[in-house]
Amino acid sequence: MSWLVTVPVLVPLATAAATTLLQRHAAAQRVVSHLGAWALLAGALTLLAQVNSGAPARMVFGDWGEPFGIVFAVDRLSAALVLVTAVMAVACLTFQASDADPGPAHPLQLPLVHGLLAGVGGAFATADLFNLYVWFEVMLICAVGLLALGGRTDQLDGTFKYFTLNLVGTLLLLLAVGMVYAVSGHLNYGALAQALPQAPAGPVALALAGLLLALLIKAGAFPLFAWLPAAYPTLPAPLLALFAGLLTKVGAYAVLRTLADWAPRASAAWLAEALGWIAAATMLVGVLGAAYHWDMRRILAFHIVSQIGYILLAVALASPAGDAAALFYTLHHIVVKANLFLIAAMVWRLAGGYDLRAVGGLWRARPWLGVLFLVPALSLVGIPPLSGFWSKLWVLQEALAQGRLVWTAVALLVSVLTLYSMMKIWMEAFWKPHPQPGWQPPRDARLGPAWAATLMLALITLAIGLWPQALLDYALAAAGTLGGGAR
């Protein structure tokens, strides 16, 4: 039993409450928000150190014992994701202090941000299927609030699409949770791992199929991903980076936890086969959508979809190596994707827009910004020695080892098309001259916090790429504990 398992939820909730009370004191609200983010980071580091040196941290709430009480359990898998969540919170809140598309200030924005972080942390920490549903609800409520805060027509339109499609996923998730309980009598992950193999195979398969369908909607997988590119680009840059880095990864995490940790092997086998083909379609459709668009936010939003496909492909391989590759890829992608959105906002501030046809000239005016962009952009493509190279290498190695030639070919094709999208941004925003004669970047741009946040994320990407073995060893150890180490 360890109180540290409450850190991913209690720290953001306490910060959300404090910032709510400080709505009329904007400066104090910002200070408390930053303190809360750094406290979450400190707690996440401590939690990671604890679970990496011993058994998973667990706590049962109330007077009910397992498997009937509410249980938080953080193992190596969830501890790593809690840590990267805290890193994203610090980076995005730091970036918000710049004038690179921070969006209009609103007294409810920071409380909703920390409420969202609490939902993400709760989903990673819970060991109970119904409580996973509850934390998805918390994320949905806070996300809808943040999407609608600006009140612009495009924001309200995006909010409606986000809410409608995610509500379908939420209702399906609740129905699937009820079906799982009906066939097993349990919702605790550990109890499900024991009870489901003894239950009738047909009802178990139906319940798990419904559960995975709901989680794939949350992850932004094919074919129900339209809410993502419709809603995300309407957000201010720091919120967009936070959404892009975290929200779909919670759905992908839940898919991994379900198939690798407690689903019966007989059901998990055919579900993984179906998941692999869904992953291939997700990769391909996402990257084609990105290739079509000229707005940097929409290009990068569609690349969230395509990169989720890689993570789901790793999960579909249904092996310890595949599970480790899924964790490695998730951690890499959270950092890279958030950083790309933040750098796009810096381009917006300096060059005057997100539409690539209306900007240019930044390589000559701000060459270091061009270098900074290349780090996450080439990592997303998978160029060595950056983190994306190792992430894709280990996914493709395992796919080839299992003889999944079609999945491998699709993944390689998607990497080539990803290179096209990243080079389109490079050539249009940095290399070509600005379309306005005599254009110069604004001298009054306040980008110090933006540089700090993006440089921090770029250094993490470089560190993972240059020293990948430590993270790979950690990911393999995390994968080895899933399903009791039986896979």
Side-chain angles (χ1 to χ4, degrees):
M1 179 177 289
S2 172
W3 64 270
L4 280 173
V5 297
T6 65
V7 164
V9 173
L10 285 187
V11 172
L13 283 181
T15 309
T19 50
T20 301
L21 294 174
L22 292 170
Q23 288 183 64
R24 298 183 179 180
H25 307 279
Q29 189 186 52
R30 289 192 296 270
V31 169
V32 169
S33 175
H34 281 277
L35 290 175
W38 283 100
L40 179 61
L41 180 58
L45 285 168
T46 306
L47 184 59
L48 181 75
Q50 176 173 319
V51 301
N52 196 38
S53 61
R58 303 179 70 85
M59 178 171 279
V60 184
F61 299 93
D63 293 330
W64 295 90
E66 291 193 67
F68 303 106
I70 296 175
V71 180
F72 274 15
V74 176
D75 56 8
R76 287 184 174 93
L77 172 62
S78 46
L81 292 168
V82 168
L83 177 59
V84 77
T85 298
V87 171
M88 288 301 102
V90 170
C92 293
L93 289 173
T94 299
F95 189 95
Q96 197 168 36
S98 74
D99 62 354
D101 194 16
H106 193 286
L108 289 178
Q109 186 181 86
L110 292 176
L112 287 171
V113 165
H114 289 281
L116 186 74
L117 293 172
V120 172
F124 290 147
T126 187
D128 179 277
L129 195 55
F130 180 77
N131 283 291
L132 177 66
Y133 160 78
V134 171
W135 294 117
F136 269 116
E137 283 290 277
V138 172
M139 285 187 286
L140 176 61
I141 293 168
C142 294
V144 168
L146 289 167
L147 282 163
L149 275 185
R152 299 194 317 265
T153 302
D154 64 324
Q155 288 180 312
L156 296 177
D157 179 68
T159 302
F160 177 77
K161 293 173 181 175
Y162 181 94
F163 177 73
T164 301
L165 289 176
N166 272 274
L167 185 61
V168 172
T170 295
L171 293 175
L172 183 58
L173 179 58
L174 182 59
L175 177 62
V177 169
M179 292 173 66
V180 170
Y181 182 77
V183 299
S184 68
H186 290 286
L187 293 172
N188 178 273
Y189 293 162
L192 286 172
Q194 298 296 321
L196 285 177
Q198 315 303 322
V204 169
L206 182 61
L208 289 178
L211 179 64
L212 285 185
L213 178 58
L215 295 175
L216 289 174
I217 293 174
K218 299 292 186 181
F222 177 84
L224 298 174
F225 63 86
W227 55 269
L228 194 156
Y232 279 19
T234 67
L235 288 162
L239 299 183
L240 174 53
L242 195 65
F243 276 51
L246 297 178
L247 296 195
T248 55
K249 312 313 179 298
V250 180
Y253 161 81
V255 172
L256 173 59
R257 180 67 74 181
T258 298
L259 290 182
D261 207 19
W262 56 264
R265 287 190 178 186
S267 297
W270 72 267
L271 288 171
E273 180 72 21
L275 180 64
W277 293 105
I278 292 172
T282 301
M283 285 189 284
L284 196 55
V285 172
V287 79
L288 290 175
Y292 172 78
H293 284 281
W294 288 90
D295 186 296
M296 286 184 287
R297 296 167 301 180
R298 293 195 178 276
I299 293 171
L300 297 174
F302 272 101
H303 274 302
I304 299 173
V305 177
S306 71
Q307 299 297 306
I308 280 291
Y310 281 97
I311 299 171
L312 296 177
L313 175 60
V315 177
L317 296 173
S319 66
D323 297 341
L327 175 58
F328 194 109
Y329 205 110
T330 301
L331 296 173
H332 135 79
H333 185 251
I334 288 172
V335 174
V336 163
K337 181 56 65 177
N339 205 14
L340 282 170
F341 277 109
L342 296 178
I343 294 170
M346 297 171 73
V347 172
W348 170 87
R349 180 67 181 93
L350 293 170
Y354 283 110
D355 191 325
L356 291 173
R357 293 165 293 190
V359 299
L362 283 174
W363 177 246
R364 176 173 293 182
R366 295 289 187 274
W368 284 110
L369 183 60
V371 174
L372 184 63
F373 167 78
L374 286 175
V375 173
L378 295 181
S379 184
L380 191 74
V381 175
I383 301 299
L386 299 168
S387 61
F389 169 74
W390 303 108
S391 302
K392 292 186 178 181
L393 176 65
W394 286 318
V395 173
L396 296 179
Q397 274 186 339
E398 183 63 14
L400 285 173
Q402 296 187 18
R404 299 293 191 173
L405 300 182
V406 175
W407 296 354
T408 303
V410 171
L412 290 172
L413 174 62
V414 170
S415 286
V416 174
L417 293 174
T418 302
L419 176 62
Y420 165 77
S421 293
M422 294 301 104
M423 289 300 98
K424 181 164 74 171
I425 296 176
W426 166 261
M427 295 299 294
E428 296 292 330
F430 291 93
W431 193 251
K432 83 170 195 297
H434 198 283
Q436 296 179 6
W439 165 86
Q440 290 294 329
R443 295 173 180 247
D444 60 343
R446 194 178 69 255
L447 295 179
W451 280 105
T454 52
L455 184 59
M456 177 184 74
L457 297 180
L459 289 174
I460 292 173
T461 298
L462 288 171
I464 294 173
L466 294 174
W467 297 282
Q469 194 61 46
L471 182 55
L472 178 61
D473 290 342
Y474 181 93
L476 287 169
T481 63
L482 295 175
R487 291 183 71 179

